[in-house]
Amino acid sequence: MLKHGAMHKNKQWNVKGAMRLADAFHFLHSCGSGCLLPFLTLFFRHLGLTPTMTGLIMASKHLLALVWRPISSVLARQYDKRRTVIVGSLVSSALVVLILLLFPSAGLEGESGRCNASQPSPSPTQNIVQFTTLHISPQFNATVYSVERTADVTEQPNEDNTEYTPTHATSNTTRSVRGVRSLKKSSHQHEENPRAEFLGSLKVMDAQHQMFFLVLIVIGFWEFTAVPLEWTTDDGLHEYFDFIDATDRHRGVKVWKHLGAAVGSAGVGILVTSLFCLTGTMAEFYSYSVLMLLTVPAAAFLPLYLRKRERPTRGVFKALQVVHGNSQALLGAVTVVLTGMTSSAVSDFLLWQMQDHDATEFHMGVSLALANIAQVCFTPLNGRLVRFLKYHGWLLVLAVVSLSLQCLYYSFLWGPWAVIPAQILAGFGTGALWWSVASQCEDVATPGTEKTVLRLFEALSLELGAGLGSLTSGFVVQKFGVKVLFQGTAVILALWSVVVLTLLKWKIPRQRRINYSRLLADASEMSESESDQEKDWMETALEGSRQNNKWTIDKP
């Protein structure tokens, strides 16, 4: 009977099957995210939004995730609704994101020449710009302009020097279009048109600002539905593998996340480039939605486990106390915030820079995939590199330096494929950064708080730092351009690497003695002292016994 019960228990906790489900779930979800998230700011550019508007939207997205992600994770655990939250997040995010396809472009389609390149043109320097008014719906009848190129019109210079102007092949047409468009829009502002109202309070805004607020609302709602998934899934899987004593295997899902993101970015890049003249960028959104829905069956069978006892609610506060009470942890926290700002600036405007140098979605997708693959390839090398450096803090300095060189390289792009060396370096820098941060968390965290401290660092980088970086980079690109953004970021990271190197040199000798040499010495000294104390006590007791016995015998 006991044997049958043991066999039934072993069959119930199928570790290999659970790992396959977890790997499949993370691969499909990351593949879907890779199809859309890296290209999102490029879509905002297609809608005609300025860099400042793009930065504000992305900053709002990150800051919303900073607040809502931990709250949703706690609520899902408290009410035992993890699987419902995961499945609901997949389905709702797949449907909400399609709302963005209802918005027509409020700006210029610089890529329109890709479909007309095969058609003969009497003169490449003669173009005509025609504006058409598009009515979206009876509720939103904003004036939106599209561009059609024909012959026999001389280009006019752009009079608005404050607006960011791309430098791709159609920049001359862009300047002519903006000059005429500004006159067209200024004339419409003086007209009384009750149908141009948007929710009443937005009637005084032009089409571009109306589009900005519409996109901001949709992105906020989309982030609200999508953001609970990651931490809720991670908590459920971690508790399951912890219950069956297989926590180390759960760490392997990170590899499948990177592989899924690489496949999604490269695949959608090829798909969009092949079907651009038929579907434009719609393939990115439909690919995301389809893959999110395909992830639902894997989510429905995920091995989630809920413990009987509740997790202490002071976990976050304990993590904050640990980081605040350790100078090295504070240095790491500031570093991850700065690197998070850098990563968001790169992810928001790198594709703009590539598009300005005639790159298509194919070039972009392949370059993004190489960064993820490079990060996977770095994982087996991190242990050897740390043993060579003799301290994981030096790896943090190398990560900051590599990110600085990466940004400097981005500012001097000259062609579609020129970005590849920097992407490989980006994979190395990102992998080194998070391996060093994870090692630091193990050093400073108290037992049971390692995961919470690591999540605190992730939130500081991926949400707080990313939000600040998107907000700042949008204003910088609007005022100075993408090239100045990357060069300024490279200088800031280079200076910070010098600061980190100086502080670590001051802290490392004492830290190394505590972690290695002194720890072994203390252990050996303690064992020797304990044996000596025991020996002294025994000898004293025996000698005292002998003296007492001798005194007793000799007394008579």
Side-chain angles (χ1 to χ4, degrees):
M1 185 69 181
L2 293 176
K3 184 177 180 181
H4 177 73
M7 293 177 61
H8 180 71
K9 183 176 181 180
N10 292 333
K11 183 179 180 181
Q12 181 180 1
W13 304 108
N14 187 356
V15 180
K16 292 184 178 179
M19 283 300 305
R20 293 191 187 99
L21 276 174
D23 294 342
F25 173 86
H26 286 291
F27 178 83
L28 291 174
H29 180 259
S30 298
C31 188
S33 300
C35 289
L36 180 60
L37 293 182
F39 303 93
L40 197 58
T41 57
L42 199 65
F43 176 75
F44 296 158
R45 192 189 202 187
H46 170 76
L47 291 179
L49 301 182
T50 64
T52 302
M53 294 177 178
T54 301
L56 287 172
I57 292 174
M58 297 304 295
S60 302
K61 178 178 179 293
H62 292 302
L63 295 179
L64 176 61
L66 177 66
V67 177
W68 177 234
R69 178 175 283 123
I71 295 176
S72 60
S73 176
V74 171
L75 292 177
R77 187 184 194 279
Q78 182 177 357
Y79 293 99
D80 193 15
K81 298 294 182 181
R82 280 178 173 167
R83 198 177 305 277
T84 303
V85 170
I86 295 171
V87 175
S89 177
L90 290 171
V91 176
S92 58
S93 62
L95 299 178
V96 170
V97 75
L98 297 179
I99 300 177
L100 292 174
L101 295 178
L102 301 178
F103 302 152
S105 173
L108 302 172
E109 299 184 20
E111 308 91 343
S112 59
R114 290 161 57 180
C115 299
N116 299 328
S118 60
Q119 299 178 0
S121 177
S123 176
T125 61
Q126 293 179 344
N127 301 288
I128 188 170
V129 180
Q130 298 178 354
F131 292 94
T132 59
T133 301
L134 300 180
H135 298 286
I136 304 174
S137 65
Q139 291 77 18
F140 177 51
N141 295 323
T143 304
V144 182
Y145 304 110
S146 62
V147 179
E148 298 179 3
R149 302 177 58 186
T150 55
D152 300 333
V153 169
T154 306
E155 298 179 350
Q156 301 176 359
N158 183 19
E159 298 178 359
D160 188 1
N161 295 325
T162 62
E163 186 175 3
Y164 174 75
T165 304
T167 58
H168 47 76
T170 61
S171 60
N172 293 329
T173 304
T174 301
R175 289 193 291 267
S176 297
V177 169
R178 285 178 177 168
V180 180
R181 177 179 154 194
S182 61
L183 295 176
K184 185 84 172 182
K185 289 166 64 176
S186 62
S187 63
H188 276 280
Q189 290 177 355
H190 296 285
E191 296 178 0
E192 294 291 337
N193 185 9
R195 298 181 61 191
E197 295 184 1
F198 171 64
L199 299 180
S201 61
L202 301 179
K203 62 182 179 181
V204 296
M205 297 184 181
D206 57 9
Q208 189 181 45
H209 286 83
Q210 289 179 350
M211 182 67 69
F212 164 70
F213 281 102
L214 279 172
V215 173
L216 182 63
I217 293 172
V218 175
I219 291 296
F221 187 45
W222 176 41
E223 188 72 7
F224 182 82
T225 59
V227 80
L229 184 140
E230 186 175 356
W231 279 19
T232 303
T233 305
D234 186 65
D235 286 340
L237 289 174
H238 184 271
E239 291 184 3
Y240 174 85
F241 286 108
D242 184 47
F243 180 77
I244 60 178
D245 296 328
T247 309
D248 294 336
R249 298 192 179 186
H250 182 225
R251 300 176 182 176
V253 299
K254 294 182 179 180
V255 176
W256 291 101
K257 288 182 179 180
H258 293 301
L259 292 177
V263 172
S265 300
V268 80
I270 298 173
L271 185 64
V272 171
T273 304
S274 303
L275 303 177
F276 183 82
C277 297
L278 297 177
T279 62
T281 59
M282 290 168 48
E284 298 169 356
F285 292 86
Y286 287 122
S287 299
Y288 172 86
S289 298
V290 169
L291 286 169
M292 291 297 106
L293 295 178
L294 289 177
T295 313
V296 172
F301 294 99
L302 274 179
L304 305 178
Y305 177 78
L306 181 64
R307 290 185 180 274
K308 298 295 183 181
R309 59 183 179 88
E310 291 292 331
R311 182 183 303 173
T313 57
R314 297 181 296 173
V316 177
F317 298 101
K318 287 183 179 179
L320 289 173
Q321 291 176 357
V322 168
V323 174
H324 183 267
N326 188 286
S327 58
Q328 187 176 352
L330 283 176
L331 180 64
V334 177
T335 303
V336 296
V337 171
L338 288 177
T339 54
M341 295 177 65
T342 302
S343 301
S344 66
V346 171
S347 61
D348 290 348
F349 295 104
L350 174 60
L351 300 190
W352 290 38
Q353 177 81 332
M354 294 181 65
Q355 190 182 58
D356 292 344
H357 292 84
D358 301 326
T360 63
E361 286 77 8
F362 172 71
H363 304 97
M364 301 172 189
V366 171
S367 64
L368 293 170
L370 286 176
N372 285 282
I373 293 175
Q375 191 168 347
V376 172
C377 295
F378 173 77
T379 303
L381 302 177
N382 50 21
R384 298 180 181 178
L385 189 57
V386 171
R387 285 193 296 270
F388 174 76
L389 297 174
K390 299 180 180 180
Y391 178 59
H392 61 77
W394 298 122
L395 196 61
L396 183 66
V397 178
L398 286 180
V400 177
V401 172
S402 64
L403 291 176
S404 176
L405 295 175
Q406 166 196 344
C407 293
L408 183 63
Y409 186 95
Y410 286 149
S411 64
F412 296 104
L413 294 183
W414 62 89
W417 293 114
V419 74
I420 290 180
Q423 290 298 92
I424 297 176
L425 186 62
F428 167 80
T430 304
L433 173 69
W434 287 110
W435 199 93
S436 177
V437 169
S439 300
Q440 189 179 81
C441 292
E442 294 178 357
D443 290 344
V444 303
T446 57
T449 63
E450 295 87 352
K451 183 181 178 182
T452 307
V453 174
L454 181 59
R455 275 190 172 177
L456 177 61
F457 279 98
E458 291 178 349
L460 290 175
S461 176
L462 303 179
E463 306 303 345
L464 179 60
L468 297 176
S470 296
L471 187 64
T472 306
S473 60
F475 286 104
V476 173
V477 173
Q478 181 76 32
K479 187 67 176 179
F480 303 103
V482 181
K483 185 175 181 180
V484 174
L485 170 67
F486 289 143
Q487 291 177 352
T489 304
V491 171
I492 293 174
L493 287 178
L495 294 176
W496 182 249
S497 66
V498 176
V499 175
V500 174
L501 181 62
T502 304
L503 293 177
L504 288 180
K505 277 187 174 181
W506 176 64
K507 291 291 292 184
I508 277 179
R510 183 172 61 186
Q511 188 71 19
R512 285 183 61 187
R513 285 195 299 269
I514 292 175
N515 283 344
Y516 300 101
S517 303
R518 186 172 179 179
L519 182 63
L520 296 176
D522 291 343
S524 60
E525 290 176 1
M526 289 177 61
S527 61
E528 292 177 359
S529 62
E530 289 176 358
S531 61
D532 292 340
Q533 291 176 2
E534 183 178 0
K535 181 178 180 181
D536 294 341
W537 178 82
M538 291 291 293
E539 291 179 353
T540 303
L542 290 174
E543 289 177 358
S545 177
R546 294 194 201 99
Q547 293 177 357
N548 292 334
N549 292 335
K550 184 177 181 181
W551 180 80
T552 303
I553 296 173
D554 294 341
K555 185 177 181 181

